[in-house]
Amino acid sequence: MLTLHHLENSRSHRVLWLLEELELPYEIKRYARDSQTLLAPDELKAIHPLGKAPILCDEAACLAESGAILEYLAERYAQGPLALPKPGTPEHLKLRYWMHYAEGSAMPPLLLRLVFDRVARGPMPFFIRPVARAIANGANKAFIGPQLNLHLDYMESELSKTEWFAGQTFTIADIQMSFPLEAAEARAGLDGSRPRLMDFLRRIRERPAYQRAVQRGGPVMSGR
């Protein structure tokens, strides 16, 4: 039996979604974020030293990192389009690229946006607040905003070439790419001005397995 340690409003939605796509039997253990810090609870440290989700336990092994877990599940259990392409093929190279791009390139400016927005809105002495807001607004305007636009434009352009990120078929690369795009919609201004990305979000949310994952694990970006 597979066991997924799932944190609400987190990357572990992607693993839950793939488990539903593959129709694998699994157990889910849900964890809530701290209401003040929004961090994962300490209980997760008993499963993995970093105390972060997702964590997937399969037989004797417990795996962390959503991309690694998706590849593990696809390699071990998937058939058809969700199986990993043969190594060395163009399909495998493209899928691997998007699996790494999602966290290596797309997520850093989104994380910076989240951090600096919290700096600007967070509680602090009144005499420091104008300085903190000025620093946050300056970072957003000079660096974070342009970087977000660069990446959103790039992803929009790539989806003009193929129906899905790694080609004409839905793959685990699309599951991996879903989180940065949902984060961009929630906090980086992704909207109808980039119709291909919005259509991508519409299509993944219409998938029955995605909807089952939301039912079992909760919304991806609620309250964030």
Side-chain angles (χ1 to χ4, degrees):
M1 174 67 73
L2 295 162
T3 300
L4 174 64
H5 297 270
H6 170 74
L7 179 65
E8 64 181 15
N9 291 334
S10 80
R11 290 162 168 82
S12 62
H13 168 83
R14 295 184 290 197
V15 178
L16 182 57
W17 176 13
L18 180 56
L19 289 168
E20 290 292 341
E21 290 280 356
L22 297 175
E23 298 183 341
L24 294 172
Y26 67 93
E27 178 186 7
I28 182 173
K29 295 186 177 180
R30 292 182 58 169
Y31 301 82
R33 292 180 180 272
D34 183 277
S35 60
Q36 299 300 315
T37 67
L38 298 183
L39 297 177
D42 288 340
E43 298 96 285
L44 276 170
K45 292 181 180 178
I47 313 299
H48 189 278
L50 293 179
K52 297 180 180 293
I55 303 168
L56 182 76
C57 295
D58 184 6
E59 298 176 349
C62 286
L63 304 175
E65 297 296 336
S66 54
I69 296 171
L70 294 185
E71 290 191 14
Y72 171 79
L73 289 173
E75 182 177 29
R76 181 159 185 174
Y77 296 105
Q79 298 179 354
L82 287 173
L84 294 182
K86 184 178 179 180
T89 62
E91 293 80 10
H92 185 268
L93 181 62
K94 193 167 187 179
L95 182 143
R96 173 173 284 178
Y97 170 77
W98 289 111
M99 292 294 293
H100 287 269
Y101 171 87
E103 293 294 332
S105 295
M107 281 305 300
L110 288 162
L111 179 59
L112 287 173
R113 169 61 61 85
L114 176 64
V115 170
F116 277 94
D117 283 353
R118 287 182 181 172
V119 168
R121 298 194 305 263
M124 67 190 73
F126 74 92
F127 55 88
I128 297 177
R129 189 175 299 120
V131 176
R133 288 179 176 172
I135 292 172
N137 292 337
N140 274 317
K141 184 176 181 180
F143 177 74
I144 301 171
Q147 281 294 305
L148 287 171
N149 286 328
L150 174 68
H151 284 283
L152 291 174
D153 288 344
Y154 169 66
M155 291 183 279
E156 177 78 9
S157 175
E158 289 299 299
L159 282 182
S160 71
K161 302 173 185 177
T162 54
E163 184 175 0
W164 299 98
F165 276 102
Q168 297 304 120
T169 305
F170 176 81
T171 68
I172 61 170
D174 300 295
I175 297 178
Q176 180 76 343
M177 285 296 297
S178 67
F179 190 81
L181 287 174
E182 295 199 282
E185 183 187 34
R187 57 178 180 252
L190 174 59
D191 57 22
S193 64
R194 294 182 174 90
R196 293 184 182 90
L197 294 181
M198 294 303 293
D199 182 62
F200 172 84
L201 289 176
R202 177 189 60 79
R203 286 184 286 137
I204 65 171
R205 289 165 177 166
E206 288 178 349
R207 296 183 71 87
Y210 179 101
Q211 295 172 10
R212 292 195 301 271
V214 170
Q215 290 172 359
R216 293 205 65 179
V220 185
M221 285 286 157
S222 63
R224 299 188 71 191

